[in-house]
Amino acid sequence: MEQATGLALARSLAIGAVGGLIFHLVGLPLAWMLGPLVANLLVSARGVDVRVPERLREAFLGVLGLVLGSQVTPELAARVLEWPLSMALLLVGVAASTAAAAAWYRRCGFDSVSAWFASAPGAMTAMILMGEKCGGEPRRIAIAQSLRVVLVVLILPPLFWAYEGAAANGEPAVRTLQDPWLLLALPALIPLGHLLKLPSPTLLAPLVFTALLSGFDIASLRLPDWGMNLMLWVLGSAIGSRFRGLSSARLGRYLFEAFVATLVALAVLALFAELIHRLVGVPRDVALLALAPGGIGEMAILAVALDLDPVFVACHHLLRMVALMLFAPFWARFLRRRP
């Protein structure tokens, strides 16, 4: 079993490297994340056994948490007072976009429970488990949730790239390594996050740790270009390899359903992002990324890689995830009582 897992990992990373190189040579944005993601998605749909073990994915998510937390500065505290309005708009936008996407899934033949939990933008594992408990179809919910994350990751970078111009890919000209010793804390931080039952513990425990150190100007992790690309390569391959076992025809149908649902959700959330831009003064691309219906880990990757105010984005996605976790049980109770 371990040998098979090792071969599947090697295959996934090799295929991801080819995809990343092709995207890089073509000059597409976020080449070393989107290239591995697309390449693994395509071959997994053809029945190729590609996978990234959960422990390896968690390790690189932990690195991302360290990098993200290092974006916190002492000056950030002054900006926090500006965020309550944007957070309130986020919550209203999440409710509106979920309702709109659920209406589309109902037209696609989803039952009411599956449609709602497939449309909830975040807390994927909790939504799948709660949806199943309420009588929904866990496989359809899981596939819809996973495909939405993939589609958001694929749609937004080219959109920002086209909107701002090819030069605005967010990557600094030169990245240098700083305070790499922080990586040694990961073996303790990741289990601690699970022990404390944090949401997305692999990401949040390292994030909080480095946010405290960086906020007090003690230490901040900075990765060189090759380190950022390595992190994006592994995480992109992990996202793309989620869909092994699905036939091409079934994946195509699910992709169409999820694509329309994602566009509907993005259109609704773009309206609320525009409100945040006008009322709070946040740039449009940052506001849209903060509201985008992707997972907190994936959106944090985009925010860091594109240099789109990662702390603002991560805080809003964390709020969305916590709100869903708190509200979903009450909504699930309502759905169970419906005839």
Side-chain angles (χ1 to χ4, degrees):
M1 182 64 72
E2 289 184 3
Q3 183 178 5
T5 301
L7 288 173
L9 170 62
R11 198 177 296 119
S12 176
L13 294 180
I15 291 169
V18 173
L21 182 60
I22 292 173
F23 272 51
H24 175 72
L25 293 175
V26 174
L28 293 175
L30 270 182
W32 286 102
M33 180 181 180
L34 299 185
L37 189 161
V38 171
N40 274 275
L41 178 63
L42 291 175
V43 300
S44 65
R46 304 293 297 178
V48 178
D49 184 12
V50 287
R51 62 188 114 143
V52 174
E54 185 63 17
R55 284 190 177 183
L56 181 61
R57 189 187 76 88
E58 284 196 345
F60 277 89
L61 268 181
V63 175
L64 173 64
L66 294 176
V67 172
L68 187 60
S70 297
Q71 307 290 320
V72 175
T73 62
E75 294 77 20
L76 183 65
R79 293 183 50 217
V80 174
L81 295 177
E82 304 170 2
W83 294 358
L85 177 57
S86 64
M87 289 180 168
L89 289 170
L90 162 74
L91 296 177
V92 178
V94 166
S97 65
T98 300
W104 161 253
Y105 277 129
R106 290 286 285 152
R107 291 180 62 87
C108 294
F110 279 54
D111 63 87
S112 178
V113 173
S114 298
W116 277 99
F117 283 96
S119 303
M124 183 189 302
T125 302
M127 296 304 102
I128 295 168
L129 293 175
M130 280 189 236
E132 182 179 17
K133 189 175 181 181
C134 293
E137 299 180 56
R139 181 175 174 83
R140 295 194 80 175
I141 296 172
I143 292 171
Q145 286 274 355
S146 299
L147 285 175
R148 187 193 66 250
V149 171
V150 170
L151 288 166
V152 169
V153 171
L154 289 174
I155 291 170
L156 290 185
L159 184 64
F160 295 153
W161 192 54
Y163 175 70
E164 298 179 350
N169 61 11
E171 295 190 36
V174 178
R175 288 192 182 99
T176 57
L177 183 64
Q178 177 181 326
D179 293 330
W181 59 268
L182 289 169
L183 294 169
L184 299 176
L186 280 180
L189 290 172
I190 292 176
L192 179 62
H194 285 286
L195 183 66
L196 296 176
K197 299 187 183 302
L198 296 176
S200 291
T202 307
L203 179 74
L204 290 182
L207 189 159
V208 172
F209 174 70
T210 48
L212 290 172
L213 293 180
S214 182
F216 286 103
D217 204 20
I218 298 172
S220 299
L221 177 66
R222 300 284 188 276
L223 295 179
D225 287 341
W226 66 264
M228 285 293 296
N229 288 336
L230 174 63
M231 181 178 70
L232 295 175
W233 170 38
V234 174
L235 292 175
S237 298
I239 296 170
S241 62
R242 288 177 181 173
F243 302 98
R244 64 184 187 275
L246 280 179
S247 67
S248 298
R250 181 168 293 183
L251 179 60
R253 178 164 62 87
Y254 289 158
L255 267 173
F256 171 72
E257 294 174 353
F259 181 69
V260 175
T262 302
L263 287 183
V264 168
L266 280 172
V268 172
L269 290 167
L271 297 176
F272 286 88
E274 181 66 19
L275 286 175
I276 291 175
H277 166 66
R278 292 177 180 273
L279 297 176
V280 184
V282 175
R284 284 188 176 91
D285 49 4
V286 174
L288 181 57
L289 188 56
L291 268 64
I296 183 173
E298 291 78 12
M299 296 303 97
I301 295 171
L302 293 185
V304 170
L306 297 171
D307 195 24
L308 293 176
D309 204 341
V311 176
F312 181 88
V313 172
C315 284
H316 283 69
H317 279 281
L318 177 59
L319 171 66
R320 183 196 64 192
M321 184 168 58
V322 172
L324 282 172
M325 296 284 286
L326 292 175
F327 178 75
F330 297 100
W331 187 247
R333 195 176 306 162
F334 168 75
L335 291 175
R336 277 201 300 268
R337 286 202 298 262
R338 293 180 65 182

